[in-house]
Amino acid sequence: MSKSILITGGAGFIGSHVIQLFVEKYPAYTIVNLDALTYAGNLENLKAVEGASNYTFEKADIQDEAALKAIFEKHSITDVIHLAAESHVDRSITDPLAFVKTNVFGTVNLLNAAKEFWKDNLSDHLFYHVSTDEVYGSLHDGGFFLETTAYDPQSPYSASKASSDHFVRAYANTYGMKTVISNCSNNYGPNHFPEKLIPLCIHNIKNNKPLPVYGKGENVRDWLFVKDHARAIDTVFHQGRTGETYNIGGFNEWKNIDIVKLLCAKMDEKLGRDAGTSEKLITYVKDRAGHDLRYAIDATKIQKELGWEPSLQFEEGIEITIDWFLANQDWLDRITSGAYQEYYDKHYNN
Ligand code: NAD
Ligand code: DAU
């Protein structure tokens, strides 16, 4: 069946890879990218597809009820893949309300728009909500997050994502909407906004600037290459069972300090610096408030049920990522001017 899929947040980091995959792999689908172009949204991320005949961009805010209604009608939307969100934990600590507005209110607004537009045949349409492993809280005593792990969000960001997940399940339960949710671990790769650990370090190493490591650098994250997340989203969208949750991760846990050291070593090599040069930039700074110790996803369900697994080893993915950032200095320069510098100075000078 021909589909007209609304992908929200398509100008962001993960969304841009999802859009590219769907536009190129499914020429018979119409792909509508709805994005408000906040500081994190960048149409440059979509250069590869901007001229494609099955791709359209709509600048809109998911909080805007009238705009959503018009976009559903204009494009006869058949399915939604919802990625638009405020995504940075540090920003959620200084401005939690922005996260409530987009991640909670915006998601409910989008659910309402879909429910209203599809009201005559709700069960023919899918609302796919893209979420995070942070909803499960922090692992302190070993183990992994399973799909059945109880929600225990600890930051304003994860609380807002948990809330949006609950609303999606409530709409399935109450109104019979066809929904699916996936909860993924930390992504890295091209187009990653340099407020996040990996691109921030790549940018700072390149410019000989301090590498701010929160606390003792002992916190652990499970990293997945962004294109593998996009492949997983494709898999869940097409093969996932309605009403189910799928955890997505790389079985690839790293302490922050070890990632930073790996980036230093790789970049010394690539930039022709003496071994050990960039490590001198490592600077331990004040810890993130309420910093979750460890996230680790058990991705067995999606592997066994849907046959998805990561395609890249971490070292390969990191090489591709560093090379991409070094080859796309203009992209980085444009993003790190102006508002980014203000954010950076305010955040790291306090
Ligand atoms: P991002 O911050 O890079 O991009 C978010 C996009 O959403 C931007 O293009 C932005 O302009 C858009 N947006 C923000 N508010 C909007 C609004 N009110 N209306 C319309 N568009 C709006 O985020 P990302 O890292 O690409 O994350 C995408 C999704 O995946 C989020 O829902 C996030 O919670 C989830 N996720 C991210 C990760 C990760 O490691 N980055 C891991 C798991 C899940
Ligand atoms: O787990 C999935 C989540 O991963 C996503 O839902 C979020 O949208 C995404 O931003 C990411 O959240 P994290 O907080 O884990 O990512 P971040 O890159 O901000 O931080 C990774 C780790 O590095 C974390 O333990 C905090 C630490 N850190 C981060 C920054 C920006 C530092 O030590 N120094 C820094 O300057």
Side-chain angles (χ1 to χ4, degrees):
M1 189 185 110
S2 177
K3 292 178 182 294
S4 178
I5 306 173
L6 184 70
I7 300 184
T8 70
F13 167 45
I14 302 171
S16 60
H17 292 277
V18 175
I19 297 261
Q20 191 172 340
L21 184 156
F22 272 73
V23 167
E24 287 169 358
K25 187 168 172 188
Y26 302 106
Y29 293 176
T30 299
I31 304 300
V32 181
N33 172 12
L34 183 162
D35 198 297
L37 299 183
T38 68
Y39 79 92
N42 183 354
L43 289 178
E44 276 191 65
N45 296 344
L46 293 153
K47 278 227 164 80
V49 296
E50 66 188 4
S53 58
N54 62 337
Y55 170 73
T56 314
F57 173 66
E58 292 281 2
K59 182 173 187 307
D61 192 314
I62 54 171
Q63 297 171 67
D64 183 342
E65 188 183 336
L68 294 187
K69 183 171 187 289
I71 290 167
F72 271 81
E73 285 170 359
K74 179 174 164 193
H75 299 284
S76 301
I77 296 300
T78 58
D79 303 271
V80 170
I81 304 178
H82 177 36
L83 293 112
E86 288 292 341
S87 68
H88 191 36
V89 173
D90 291 330
R91 289 184 193 253
S92 84
I93 293 169
T94 44
D95 186 8
L97 262 184
F99 286 67
V100 176
K101 287 178 186 162
T102 284
N103 299 359
V104 186
F105 177 77
T107 298
V108 178
N109 213 27
L110 187 64
L111 282 162
N112 277 342
K115 176 166 78 68
E116 179 58 27
F117 187 67
W118 298 335
K119 64 180 173 221
D120 294 332
N121 48 1
L122 257 188
S123 60
D124 290 346
H125 306 281
L126 181 66
F127 189 104
Y128 178 179
H129 180 58
V130 175
S131 193
T132 169
D133 61 357
E134 298 200 15
V135 298
Y136 299 121
S138 181
L139 291 162
H140 290 270
D141 307 315
F144 291 91
F145 297 134
L146 291 165
E147 286 79 358
T148 49
T149 302
Y151 275 30
D152 188 20
Q154 300 292 317
S155 72
Y157 164 69
S158 53
S160 71
K161 290 297 289 186
S163 174
S164 65
D165 292 10
H166 289 320
F167 270 104
V168 172
R169 293 195 179 97
Y171 271 57
N173 180 61
T174 310
Y175 307 110
M177 274 182 90
K178 241 177 90 177
T179 63
V180 69
I181 298 178
S182 58
N183 297 83
C184 188
S185 62
N186 286 57
N187 287 213
Y188 69 95
N191 301 348
H192 207 180
F193 195 83
E195 65 190 351
K196 310 280 167 56
L197 180 69
I198 289 181
L200 186 148
C201 286
I202 294 174
H203 178 57
N204 286 12
I205 292 170
K206 174 93 198 311
N207 295 298
N208 276 308
K209 284 173 63 183
L211 307 175
V213 173
Y214 296 162
K216 295 181 177 152
E218 300 268 303
N219 303 66
V220 173
R221 299 291 184 264
D222 164 14
W223 293 94
L224 180 70
F225 191 61
V226 64
K227 286 183 192 291
D228 277 329
H229 187 192
R231 286 177 46 248
I233 289 174
D234 177 22
T235 304
V236 171
F237 179 78
H238 287 99
Q239 299 170 44
R241 283 184 293 135
T242 302
E244 290 292 315
T245 297
Y246 294 92
N247 281 353
I248 304 169
F251 285 114
N252 176 43
E253 291 180 51
W254 286 77
K255 278 187 188 170
N256 293 337
I257 187 64
D258 294 334
I259 294 253
V260 175
K261 286 183 177 167
L262 177 74
L263 291 171
C264 289
K266 295 247 176 226
M267 287 194 62
D268 280 347
E269 242 174 75
K270 287 182 192 290
L271 297 171
R273 294 178 184 167
D274 291 341
T277 306
S278 299
E279 271 202 24
K280 295 193 188 106
L281 298 169
I282 293 176
T283 310
Y284 291 94
V285 298
K286 190 172 156 216
D287 208 354
R288 174 183 278 174
H291 198 172
D292 286 340
L293 181 65
R294 173 174 167 255
Y295 306 142
I297 279 279
D298 182 337
T300 306
K301 177 175 171 182
I302 187 172
Q303 285 179 3
K304 287 223 161 110
E305 230 180 70
L306 307 182
W308 172 90
E309 56 183 17
S311 69
L312 281 188
Q313 294 296 313
F314 187 60
E315 297 239 350
E316 265 178 289
I318 279 291
E319 289 277 343
I320 295 171
T321 303
I322 295 173
D323 289 346
W324 185 87
F325 276 96
L326 293 179
N328 287 274
Q329 190 59 47
D330 288 357
W331 180 95
L332 206 47
D333 286 346
R334 275 193 286 277
I335 281 194
T336 50
S337 60
Y340 174 84
Q341 199 52 50
E342 266 170 51
Y343 160 80
Y344 193 93
D345 292 342
K346 199 165 162 207
H347 183 66
Y348 290 98
N349 289 337
N350 285 332

